[in-house]
Amino acid sequence: MWLGEPRRVTLKTDLTRYHDHLVPGVTGQLVPELQVGVWGALERFVAVRFDCCGTTMDILLESLEIEEPAQAQQRAAQEEDERWRNELRTVSEAILHVGPRGELRRLSITYRNERGSTVFMAYSNRTKVEEVTQILREYGIEIQHRVGK
């Protein structure tokens, strides 16, 4: 039984004899203070809820690779960045607003998110504007320039 905080885990061994989806590499989460069956009473077993099928089972601790909290944060940040980059592929309008002397005011973009909603974003931080414009150029999306007063 796991007494710590919930943690992300990856299965290292083949457990398809117990469930068809439990192949090496499947991810899940440790469920604190849960005993699913009689094996769960032993300290070598922990309850894991698997992402692929929603099944919760007692699994031998040595069969799992436990992700550290720092790794989980890094993975979540990478997934968020990848999702954001994929959403930028759907930009329908990108406008770089500059002042009369050419100074940066903002970059405004319109795109569809993964749920299909239209999203309007405006960036005024020079570093972020440069990052977004570079990505848009890589995707072949035209950026309009507008000079303000």
Side-chain angles (χ1 to χ4, degrees), residues 76-86 128 131 135:
Q78 287 174 340
E79 288 173 358
E80 177 66 22
D81 185 59
E82 183 177 315
R83 183 191 58 75
W84 175 70
R85 286 175 174 271
N86 284 335
K128 194 67 172 177
E131 178 187 1
I135 293 169

Side-chain angles (χ1 to χ4, degrees), residues 7 18 21 39 57 64 75 89 125 129 142 148:
R7 293 252 186 101
Y18 302 110
H21 295 141
W39 291 105
M57 296 180 67
L64 300 169
R75 181 184 47 79
R89 291 181 187 272
N125 177 293
V129 168
E142 180 185 343

Side-chain angles (χ1 to χ4, degrees), residues 14-20 22:
D14 185 355
L15 298 178
T16 52
R17 64 178 177 245
Y18 302 110
H19 194 286
D20 292 340
L22 301 184

